Structures are given as C-alpha cells and as structure tokens.
Amino acid sequence: MVSICCIFLLISSGQDCQAQENKNPIVLSFIKTNDSIKSSELYFNILKIHNISTKPINGSVFFKSPENWKVISFSENDATILPGDSLSIPFRVSPNADALGGISYIISATFKTKERQITANTYLTLPSKPRWEFSAIKNNLFFTENSTIASFEVKLSNKGNTKELIK
C-alpha cells in the first residue's frame, strides 16, 4: 500500500512540475562563425544583435581577441535595440604578426546589460605555413687518399608560422 502511495505521489507531482523557460531577450550571432586567414591579412566579420523581446534593451558591446591582436570597430560601444529590431556591428581583426599557424583562435563579443551578459564566439584559424631553409656551412669538401673522411655542418631553420618537430 505504501509503495502504491509513493508511486501516485511521484506521478502526480511530476505533472505539476514544468521546466522554467529562461528565454534570453537578446540573441548574438556572427555572420561567419568559422573562418581562416593569413597572418598578414585583416579579418572582417559582422556581429548581429537581435532583440526578441517586447521592450527596448540598452547595453554595451565589447570585443575580446587573443593577446596582441587588434579589434577595429566603432568607438561607440553603447547601443539601444528596439523591440523586434536587430543591430549589425561590422568589425575587423588584425592578428599578431607572430601568431602561430595551425591554431584556431577565438574572437568573442559580449553584450552587457544591467541584468545579464550575452556572449557569442567566432573561430579564426591561421593556416600552417612551414618555410624550411636548409643550407651547408661549407660549400667545398675534399677527399684525398690520406683523408677519406670529411666533416661538414648544415643549418636547418623554419621561418614559417608553425612550430614543427623534426625526428
């Protein structure tokens, strides 16, 4: 009898419980969510901020990039977005000249209001570009009857944007 009562309580309490919807009134998105560029180029993208609520929303927009990268956008970072409206913010990113290739870097945008912070990310990949240089220190080696062994040195260096291990 006790087990039947427990089952009844579980079933009846499960019907009364509903998941709370915590719908965000602001939706952030990037036009390009994943892209690749050369380290010497400027990267261009657009941040879209959509207000899906019925009230105007005031907030500030901030961009975050890897260390020593530059984000170029409008200097005014405060925005008011009307109900059902959207705001497009173009920006450019200048990667650090010494950034390593073969890595995806994260560019983040945050829209901050008094009540919350909403963040969106885009991923920017610098392609791997190895540039190996191989040279000999001595250009001439001589073998004679008395000297059948000669030593030489080579110089090997990678001037590309990727750290690579040679076995």
Side-chain angles (χ1 to χ4, degrees), residues 76-97:
E76 183 78 22
N77 64 356
D78 293 332
T80 300
I81 306 165
L82 299 175
D85 202 2
S86 64
L87 178 66
S88 296
I89 301 174
F91 69 96
R92 291 190 182 274
V93 176
S94 173
N96 185 3

Side-chain angles (χ1 to χ4, degrees), residues 56-102:
I57 296 180
N58 297 318
S60 299
V61 179
F62 301 99
F63 290 98
K64 184 170 172 135
S65 63
E67 190 175 343
N68 296 326
W69 289 37
K70 304 270 190 275
V71 175
I72 305 161
S73 184
F74 295 116
S75 59
E76 183 78 22
N77 64 356
D78 293 332
T80 300
I81 306 165
L82 299 175
D85 202 2
S86 64
L87 178 66
S88 296
I89 301 174
F91 69 96
R92 291 190 182 274
V93 176
S94 173
N96 185 3
D98 296 333
L100 291 178

Side-chain angles (χ1 to χ4, degrees), residues 20-46:
Q20 292 180 347
E21 284 191 31
N22 189 6
K23 203 168 194 182
N24 210 346
I26 294 290
V27 176
L28 260 65
S29 62
F30 286 97
I31 297 294
K32 298 182 274 187
T33 57
N34 201 349
D35 208 357
S36 66
I37 64 164
K38 296 178 185 173
S39 61
S40 60
E41 294 179 346
L42 285 175
Y43 170 71
F44 177 77
N45 203 342
I46 296 174

Side-chain angles (χ1 to χ4, degrees), residues 96-115:
N96 185 3
D98 296 333
L100 291 178
I103 297 175
S104 288
Y105 294 92
I106 300 174
I107 310 295
S108 298
T110 302
F111 186 75
K112 184 177 181 179
T113 65
K114 290 181 182 177
E115 296 84 27

